[in-house]
Amino acid sequence: MRFFWLSGRLASLLGLLFISSQGFAAASSTHEYVLPNGLKLIVREDHRAPVVVSQVWYRIGSSYESVGHTGLSHLLEHMMFKDSKRLETGEFSRIMARVGASENAFTSRDATAYYQVLAANRLPLSFELEAERMQNLVISDEEFTRERQVVLEERRQRVEDRPEGITYERFQATAHQASPYGNPVIGWQQDLESMQADDLRRWYQNWYSPNNAIVVVVGDVDPEEVLQLATRYFGPIPARPHPQVKPLVEINTPGARRIEMELETARLPSLYMGFNVPVLNTAEQEWETYALRMLSGVLDGGYSARIETRLVRGSEVASSAGVGYSAFSRGDSLFTFSGVPNTQKGHDLEELESAFWEQIEQLKQTPPSQQELDRIKAQVISSLVYEQDSISSQAQQIGILESIGQSWRVADQELDRLNAITPEQIQQVAQKYLTRERVTVATLSPKATASQ
């Protein structure tokens, strides 16, 4: 989301945010429990409306998968809406629809999560059904074969038929040389085609258990009543041992890597650049991850940030461009630049890449001004504060942190940590991490056909 702030409002806005930061921490009413079987329950009270979001997170995603077995976590997510001992295929969703709940699921590199948003007095129903599929999923050969075909079709639509999807998948695979983050969440096609129902049954048995789950509830609830419900529905499910999990650390300076894709289906050229960087879980110095977040804001923190003002509206070398970084993953991640050169103005991929490097070198030579950093802090921090307006966003934040091994309390500290970052620290992380020894570059170009 992009924001535009008038400079005259900055001082008062920053003052408001400092008040909000302190007020939010005090107002936060979050309760943490662990059942005897290892299930972690986190409940946050938010009584503004009689609704609740209930999420079940499993610490299993594509980064847990090995060569030849990619796509297991995502396909299992699909199967969780099929048969169980007490529920028929699709019955979970039909019951939720009858009580007016919205529900869905998603798989990421680090976790798989299932969620419902429903009236607060319907929370027992959510727990009852989630407990059922946590322990009693039935994976039949027939349903597995049907759903594998659905996922293969999903992959065709999202990746194979989209030149940007193919290029981004190859970019990730090239950038991550020492960790499974190079594997696509949906899985490689050949792995999906060779997957068997027994592979999925083992994956379910290995990872879907209360001692590998986090239940997050945010909304109009009483924490002690939620604990009683969790004990009633999830408490009887026995814990199971899990395979050992190794840390995910990338090669420190792997050297520059480059791939060039030329596809007939591409209509526009595009560029991806990624630098191997640490995250909160792997950084030797924690402040570096907050400095990288502020660096991302300096470059792409809204309509007045450098990429927009200098490359899109200024030199017009890019018709669109952006920067991305997340500090919240199990293992080392990427600081990314992406963009489409403005071919209508006669610019190409080489010029756009040079323009990105020019912005990087400027930051290495000269730190951002305090005024620029204050403006970025206002934008970054305000977006974090506004996220608290949504119970779903609150639950999502808790689930992400807990699923990667961090505490939900990290979120209560991040406003102060971001506020403490100095212009010199932003310059330091740019000098240390945005180097040619850490970069992967991927380009996509339209390929001329015989008729052209």
Side-chain angles (χ1 to χ4, degrees):
M1 181 179 293
R2 296 179 184 274
F3 295 94
F4 177 69
W5 300 96
L6 297 175
S7 59
R9 298 175 57 195
L10 288 176
S12 59
L13 178 58
L14 279 172
L16 174 64
L17 291 175
F18 279 116
I19 294 170
S20 298
S21 165
Q22 295 163 358
F24 171 70
S28 174
S29 182
T30 309
H31 307 263
E32 178 179 322
Y33 312 92
V34 179
L35 302 190
N37 60 8
L39 183 137
K40 195 168 192 176
L41 172 67
I42 300 173
V43 184
R44 175 171 291 174
E45 296 177 76
D46 188 324
H47 300 289
R48 291 174 295 177
V51 294
V52 65
V53 57
S54 174
Q55 300 182 343
V56 179
W57 291 69
Y58 295 93
R59 298 183 188 90
I60 186 66
S62 63
S63 66
Y64 291 75
E65 298 162 355
S66 58
V67 175
H69 296 88
T70 64
L72 281 166
S73 303
H74 175 250
L75 186 48
L76 181 54
E77 174 216 310
H78 279 238
M79 295 302 295
M80 287 286 280
F81 293 87
K82 304 297 181 182
D83 294 327
S84 70
K85 286 184 179 176
R86 294 174 50 212
L87 298 173
E88 296 178 352
T89 292
E91 192 173 359
F92 189 110
S93 297
R94 289 194 294 273
I95 292 173
M96 284 296 155
R98 281 202 295 271
V99 300
S102 61
E103 53 105 24
N104 212 329
F106 60 87
T107 306
S108 72
R109 299 187 302 181
D110 297 324
T112 307
Y114 304 83
Y115 63 89
Q116 300 90 42
V117 181
L118 66 173
N121 61 2
R122 295 293 190 178
L123 183 61
L125 179 63
S126 165
F127 276 15
E128 181 180 3
L129 297 185
E130 288 290 5
E132 165 65 11
R133 63 182 177 183
M134 179 183 287
Q135 60 186 323
N136 291 326
L137 187 69
V138 176
I139 301 175
S140 68
D141 290 346
E142 295 75 17
E143 285 289 356
F144 164 77
T145 302
R146 269 195 291 270
E147 206 57 31
R148 183 179 60 178
Q149 198 57 41
V150 169
V151 172
L152 282 166
E153 177 62 17
E154 181 182 345
R155 179 182 163 81
R156 185 186 65 77
Q157 293 181 9
R158 291 188 176 186
V159 180
E160 307 297 342
D161 289 352
R162 295 181 63 246
E164 295 82 7
I166 295 175
T167 305
Y168 188 73
E169 189 177 81
R170 305 297 192 273
F171 165 70
Q172 289 286 340
T174 306
H176 294 287
Q177 297 192 327
S179 84
Y181 279 171
N183 294 328
V185 172
I186 199 169
W188 297 110
Q189 179 158 337
Q190 62 273 22
D191 291 348
L192 291 169
E193 290 172 341
S194 64
M195 191 183 296
Q196 302 297 313
D198 278 343
D199 296 328
L200 217 54
R201 295 181 187 114
R202 281 192 293 271
W203 203 247
Y204 176 71
Q205 287 297 318
N206 281 341
W207 298 108
Y208 277 59
S209 62
N211 48 320
N212 195 42
I214 308 144
V215 175
V216 181
V217 175
V218 179
D220 186 22
V221 292
D222 175 87
E224 289 302 318
E225 291 180 3
V226 176
L227 174 61
Q228 291 176 19
L229 285 175
T231 302
R232 174 183 174 186
Y233 290 109
F234 296 107
I237 305 173
R240 284 198 299 267
H242 306 127
Q244 186 178 8
V245 177
K246 303 287 187 179
L248 300 180
V249 180
E250 268 293 341
I251 300 170
N252 193 20
T253 50
R257 292 136 289 164
R258 175 179 288 272
I259 59 171
E260 297 177 354
M261 303 290 292
E262 193 174 358
L263 301 174
E264 292 182 358
T265 52
R267 295 292 176 264
L268 292 171
S270 55
L271 171 69
Y272 304 91
M273 292 172 60
F275 298 84
N276 295 97
V277 293
V279 294
L280 200 58
N281 271 3
T282 60
E284 293 182 1
Q285 301 185 81
E286 185 182 278
W287 67 265
E288 289 186 340
T289 65
Y290 294 97
L292 285 166
R293 290 172 68 180
M294 297 310 296
L295 171 60
S296 172
V298 168
L299 290 165
D300 190 25
Y303 194 68
S304 57
R306 295 189 180 194
I307 294 293
E308 177 68 27
T309 58
R310 299 180 183 182
L311 305 191
V312 178
R313 290 186 284 117
S315 65
E316 298 185 302
V317 68
S319 58
S320 65
V323 171
Y325 170 69
S326 172
F328 304 122
S329 58
R330 275 208 306 139
D332 288 338
S333 187
L334 298 177
F335 191 101
T336 60
F337 293 72
S338 60
V340 176
N342 192 340
T343 53
Q344 291 187 333
K345 296 289 183 179
H347 297 293
D348 58 21
L349 287 166
E350 187 175 347
E351 290 175 284
L352 178 56
E353 183 178 346
S354 297
F356 280 151
W357 279 113
E358 184 179 344
Q359 295 305 311
I360 292 169
E361 291 304 321
Q362 287 179 9
L363 276 166
K364 289 181 178 179
Q365 297 298 322
T366 308
S369 68
Q370 188 61 53
Q371 183 182 22
E372 182 180 17
L373 182 56
D374 287 345
R375 173 169 50 79
I376 298 305
K377 283 182 178 178
Q379 293 165 349
V380 172
I381 295 171
S382 63
S383 67
L384 293 175
V385 173
Y386 294 148
E387 282 178 6
Q388 303 308 313
D389 284 344
S390 162
I391 59 173
S392 292
S393 293
Q394 293 181 56
Q396 187 89 354
Q397 185 183 58
I398 293 169
I400 289 173
L401 287 168
E402 291 287 337
S403 65
I404 63 169
Q406 293 283 335
S407 166
W408 56 268
R409 295 176 179 83
V410 168
D412 285 348
Q413 303 163 0
E414 66 177 349
L415 297 184
D416 291 337
R417 303 285 169 84
L418 289 168
N419 258 320
I421 295 300
T422 67
E424 290 72 25
Q425 287 178 312
I426 293 174
Q427 182 186 34
Q428 287 176 39
V429 294
Q431 292 171 338
K432 182 175 181 179
Y433 293 112
L434 304 191
T435 67
R436 295 184 187 274
E437 290 76 23
R438 291 176 175 271
V439 72
T440 300
V441 179
T443 61
L444 169 64
S445 303
K447 183 178 183 179
T449 61
S451 60
Q452 291 177 317

